[in-house]
Amino acid sequence: MNVRELKRLLPEFQSKSFQGISCLKIQSYAQIYLSIHNMVFVNSLDNEYGRREIYRRKLETLVDILLRRCRRDGIREEEQVRILDTVFYVLYNSSVTIDRETEDYCWERASDLIEHYRPRLEDEKAESSEVYLAMRLIFYDLYGVEAADGEACSDTLQTVLRHLERWVAGLDAEGHWEGLSEKDALWRISLLCMNSYMQGDDRFDEPTRRAFDYYCVRPLASMREAEERRLSDEELRCWGHRYAVIQQSGICDPKIPLYMDSITGFLERQQEHLSGTSFEYMFCAGIAIDSLCRRLTEEVQNSLFK
């Protein structure tokens, strides 16, 4: 993805209708609009890439669609927890705001979902995307809202911390978890990082860095072999998750931008094997646009100090 390609796509993004699209595609569009919005907002690039209000309104529309789906009768808890995770990610990383009634609904629903998943959270062997997302909701809840019942929140956090302590204890010297899938390892690393930068808890930072190097940095050396074939959908999403973990880790490593650029290029080459209308294609495109917006932001910010 380059500037010319992004500008060619902007009219489509600015006029996009989201009627009838899946929650998975909405998540990819949310990343695209969030990336463009923040680039324009931070660097005052409205004249070059379109007014920030356009992208903010698109994000507001996506949040509204997700919350309307969350309110539907019969929607499963695993779908609701994914929806709320996306909503909170947008709200915490943009200028998007919601009214008080909607905000109250989000936090009440998050509390209900945390309570729903409490038995599984208290199970030491629980390893699933839904449980990990419930843990993310706990971190959002503790970071963004002063709880009315501090003791209950303390108990909830302690439940998560017991998982983190067990995960760290299970790491070997190289930062590897025996018998654990890459998917679950990346979830663990993201949650260990959230605990560090959202709770200010640095006691797990050293083992987290070992795991980060093993599961996020080390695999980059194998990309050249992997790019000669069409990856499975699960492999593509794993690489996308790795990109997100690196991006959101908060780990101090000057090579972070290089790691992200390497994954972006790898996934862009994978797009050649994908249908342009597939979720996987949109998923890779979202990462490419995010990476370009980050690089453009770095260029603008660096120019200010010359």
Side-chain angles (χ1 to χ4, degrees), residues 67-81 83 105 109 113 116:
L67 290 178
R68 280 192 278 114
R69 292 185 183 182
C70 197
R71 287 184 168 100
R72 287 178 182 172
D73 292 336
I75 186 170
R76 296 174 300 175
E77 283 80 4
E78 55 262 39
E79 294 179 70
Q80 293 182 52
V81 75
I83 285 173
Y105 167 79
R109 194 69 204 106
L113 286 167
H116 171 79

Side-chain angles (χ1 to χ4, degrees), residues 138 141-142 145-158:
I138 290 169
D141 181 51
L142 294 176
V145 172
E146 184 178 352
D149 184 353
E151 189 62 35
C153 264
S154 176
D155 289 345
T156 305
L157 179 59
Q158 288 302 318

